Amino acid sequence: MIEPIDWLDRWRRTVIERQAQADRWRGGPAREDDFWAGSVARFRELTANMTDDEPFFATLRAAVRPDDTVLDVGAGAGRYALTIAPYVRRVVAIDPSPAMCEALALGIADRGLRNVEVVRGRWPDDAGLVGSADVTICAHAMYWSPEIGPFLRAINERTRREALLTLRVHSVDAWLGDLPKRLRGEGRVPEPVALDLVGALSAIGIWPDLRIVPGYLRSYGSLDELAAHVATLLAFPPDDAPLDFLREQIQPLVSEREGRLWLDGPWRLAGIVSWRNA
Ligand SMILES: C[S@@+](CC[C@H](N)C(=O)[O-])C[C@H]1O[C@@H](n2cnc3c(N)ncnc32)[C@H](O)[C@@H]1O
């Protein structure tokens, strides 16, 4: 007997079991108060280097009108919120990370923007802090929320015209193949990806469009930098990671171009999941 998929439960278990596995491997929860503080520099750089043809931005740009309000859930350093601001009347950017909110405020000041409001809050618990929007976006901010039903309902309730969401097509560490199993004795629990998002939306009565696009292609300055990143993915503490072994194992998985190391293959694909409200 093949059971129907309970998408909301699948999402919940994926998030909880993935987190529990990382905590188990690490020997306890990560200590950082603000989990995102260490990633701010990378997200500020991504924001500074955004281009008009980046697929999610191009989709957003085509969806907005000059008089619109855009709500960005999990805005981070403002990769999309700051870049779309010159094309719309108002942007509301909500994010729970103090470090990301600070980066947003810096970005607003650097660009001299006067139409972006930053709200420090967690979705959907703090959804009451923001009003409705013509277009709502949420880019790569859902991987850590176990209760995706209320998260998506709150987006839908606040969206007057169109919701545009994006997630990876593969888990962030899928390219590691069987390395987690060889090193840790078990495969890495996957994270929720674009297909899970389509399923979760269908479970709350929304049938979205899905478009698969080339996402952000991550590159590294050296094998040492990549090995340190893999150590984080595998929840090794920075001073106790088998870096020599990791370097040896990951070298065949990357190719060198323009003095940098690139993860080629399907790993960069992202899904753009969207729906329109009447
Ligand atoms: C990978 S970053 C993406 C940032 C931005 N959307 C972008 O694409 O550059 C994920 C962001 O989601 C935020 N986030 C995580 N859980 C969230 C939640 N429940 N509500 C709102 N934001 C959340 C984090 O604080 C972080 O800034």
Side-chain angles (χ1 to χ4, degrees):
M1 166 80 180
I2 299 174
E3 300 290 340
I5 299 172
D6 181 338
W7 289 102
L8 301 181
D9 185 56
R10 179 185 153 79
W11 185 294
R12 181 182 304 113
R13 284 191 295 113
T14 307
V15 173
I16 291 174
E17 287 177 26
R18 184 175 166 88
Q19 183 63 55
Q21 183 184 53
D23 292 350
R24 197 168 64 243
W25 286 358
R26 199 185 292 112
R31 256 170 296 159
E32 182 88 69
D33 279 351
D34 183 354
F35 174 77
W36 289 100
S39 309
V40 166
R42 191 164 69 82
F43 277 94
R44 286 206 77 196
E45 194 182 323
L46 281 176
T47 304
N49 294 335
M50 269 293 290
T51 54
D52 283 354
D53 60 352
E54 191 273 334
F56 188 67
F57 178 72
T59 307
L60 172 61
R61 176 79 186 87
V64 295
R65 302 172 192 165
D67 224 23
D68 277 352
T69 295
V70 173
L71 168 63
D72 187 352
V73 174
R79 175 162 46 154
Y80 299 107
L82 300 183
T83 319
I84 201 64
Y87 302 103
V88 296
R89 188 171 60 82
R90 184 164 171 253
V91 177
V92 178
I94 180 166
D95 199 288
S97 156
M100 287 295 194
C101 287
E102 218 171 279
L104 266 170
L106 280 172
I108 291 168
D110 284 353
R111 293 171 191 227
L113 294 168
R114 303 173 66 92
N115 62 341
V116 182
E117 182 189 340
V118 179
V119 176
R120 193 164 139 207
R122 185 172 298 282
W123 200 266
D125 316 27
D126 298 316
L129 299 177
V130 305
S132 58
D134 300 291
V135 176
T136 306
I137 62 171
C138 181
H140 302 289
M142 285 162 274
Y143 304 108
W144 309 274
S145 292
E147 298 304 328
I148 201 62
F151 193 111
L152 296 172
R153 275 193 204 96
I155 285 183
N156 190 46
E157 279 160 17
R158 270 162 189 74
T159 303
R160 286 194 288 270
R161 196 170 72 241
E162 186 159 2
L164 294 168
L165 279 44
T166 184
L167 276 187
R168 284 184 281 272
V169 162
H170 300 95
S171 292
V172 64
D173 35 31
W175 63 278
L176 292 175
D178 67 352
L179 191 59
K181 192 161 172 51
R182 283 192 287 132
L183 263 171
R184 295 296 203 173
E186 57 182 329
R188 185 73 171 111
V189 175
E191 61 185 352
V193 291
L195 278 184
D196 298 294
L197 180 57
V198 174
L201 282 163
S202 74
I204 61 165
I206 294 172
W207 295 93
D209 292 322
L210 167 66
R211 196 155 57 89
I212 307 295
V213 297
Y216 161 58
L217 185 57
R218 206 168 165 153
S219 72
Y220 301 82
S222 66
L223 210 49
D224 284 349
E225 187 189 328
L226 178 56
H229 174 62
V230 172
T232 314
L233 289 177
L234 294 175
F236 284 106
D239 46 3
D240 191 25
L243 292 174
D244 289 341
F245 179 79
L246 290 177
R247 268 193 294 271
E248 197 181 291
Q249 298 296 312
I250 56 190
Q251 186 152 29
L253 304 178
V254 291
S255 52
E256 196 170 347
R257 286 194 303 280
E258 300 148 15
R260 292 187 69 79
L261 298 171
W262 300 84
L263 295 173
D264 290 329
W267 316 117
R268 67 183 298 194
L269 293 178
I272 297 181
V273 175
S274 62
W275 70 96
R276 293 178 76 87
N277 283 340

